[in-house]
Amino acid sequence: MSFSRRDTILMALGAAAATTLPMSARAAIEDAISAFTDGAEVGETGITLTAPEIAENGNTVPVEVSAPGAASIIILAAGNPTPGVATFNFGPLAGAQAASTRMRLAGTQDVVAIAKMEDGSYAQARQEVKVTIGGCGG
Amino acid sequence: MADNVTPRVRVPRDAAAGETITIKTLISHPMESGQRKDSDGNTIPRSIINRFTCEFNGESVMEMILEPAISTNPFIEFQAVVPESGTFAFTWYDDDGSVYEESKDIAVS
């Protein structure tokens, strides 16, 4: 099989697109994180993110976050078309700064939870979830 | 408006004063993400519940912002402190402007 000049250019374009797409998804989650933290430094302790290591069905993946002393918690999915999943804002009658819900994941990816503490500091937890069947439909 | 939207909430009937209780909520809703396409290749427009709030006697327990990445029939579990007898008010806000409400009484002994 021989490649014409046109084929070669098309392949080069395809390769360029394939490498740029994950970059833009990564940029979207960085934007979402800095929008929430306002660029502040994010610690690693004080927040727990519980999600399954392997999710067979990406349409409904249980997720639980807990961060004692948090004012709000945001959950982000790094590999989804839009990174936002949910934001919890806790009021004075919250029994614990914890909540669980179910989310959709497009494929195997990192799930990130960031808590904004009452003292203004931030904490983040990150976990990879392997997804057998993605949950975005098509 | 999404059809047959039924909120369901589980709250204990009674509790001790100051006790922390677990609340589970489920609302039937398709949560159309705006990413899917129908058989003709047209994008199905987004239609989700975008906000949920829980209040006890008018004071906030928690507020949640929901994004398209929340599953069909959104399930939410969280905890609340009950200082006195009263009523929990749950409110779900739909993209199309509909508001779904549910309330539960709790007796504190």
Side-chain angles (χ1 to χ4, degrees):
Chain A
M1 183 179 176
S2 67
F3 297 112
S4 69
R5 186 182 140 90
R6 187 172 296 172
D7 286 341
T8 319
I9 291 171
L10 282 178
M11 281 197 308
L13 281 176
T19 45
T20 9
L21 274 178
M23 286 297 289
S24 64
R26 184 159 303 161
I29 190 167
E30 295 302 334
D31 286 352
I33 290 175
S34 55
F36 184 72
T37 62
D38 227 1
E41 202 164 300
V42 180
E44 295 283 326
T45 52
I47 180 166
T48 320
L49 169 70
T50 314
E53 218 164 281
I54 298 175
E56 283 178 8
N57 182 359
N59 265 316
T60 158
V61 182
V63 60
E64 188 180 343
V65 284
S66 167
S72 57
I73 303 179
I74 190 169
I75 305 178
L76 301 164
N80 274 5
T82 52
V85 175
T87 311
F88 299 98
N89 299 315
F90 297 102
L93 286 181
Q97 281 71 34
S100 42
T101 184
R102 293 174 191 150
M103 62 180 171
R104 293 184 179 125
L105 294 178
T108 299
Q109 58 180 284
D110 278 354
V111 176
V112 182
I114 303 171
K116 182 185 185 182
M117 300 300 179
E118 262 151 18
D119 61 9
S121 66
Y122 295 91
Q124 116 171 345
R126 187 179 279 260
Q127 193 193 327
E128 190 189 31
V129 180
K130 293 190 170 72
V131 177
T132 316
I133 302 168
C136 268
Chain B
M1 149 148 195
D3 297 326
N4 300 323
V5 176
T6 323
R8 273 176 284 173
V9 176
R10 182 178 290 177
V11 176
R13 228 172 257 128
D14 42 40
E19 192 184 338
T20 297
I21 58 159
T22 300
I23 297 175
K24 295 179 182 184
T25 75
L26 186 74
I27 183 164
S28 58
H29 193 281
M31 294 293 276
E32 196 54 67
S33 68
Q35 301 283 344
R36 297 199 310 148
K37 293 193 166 68
D38 64 16
S39 51
D40 300 328
N42 304 314
T43 305
I44 306 170
R46 171 183 139 156
S47 167
I48 66 166
I49 288 171
N50 54 46
R51 185 161 167 257
F52 164 78
T53 60
C54 173
E55 290 183 347
F56 181 72
N57 290 350
E59 202 169 353
S60 167
V61 175
M62 78 139 209
E63 179 206 16
M64 177 181 179
I65 312 291
L66 292 86
E67 308 272 353
I70 295 291
S71 299
T72 303
N73 302 340
F75 163 83
I76 310 160
E77 180 181 337
F78 55 96
Q79 289 171 354
V81 175
V82 275
E84 73 242 347
S85 297
T87 310
F88 281 102
F90 305 90
T91 319
W92 291 261
Y93 298 86
D94 198 307
D95 265 354
D96 65 12
S98 318
V99 174
Y100 315 111
E101 285 173 327
E102 176 78 340
S103 62
K104 287 280 178 192
D105 295 329
I106 186 165
V108 167
S109 49

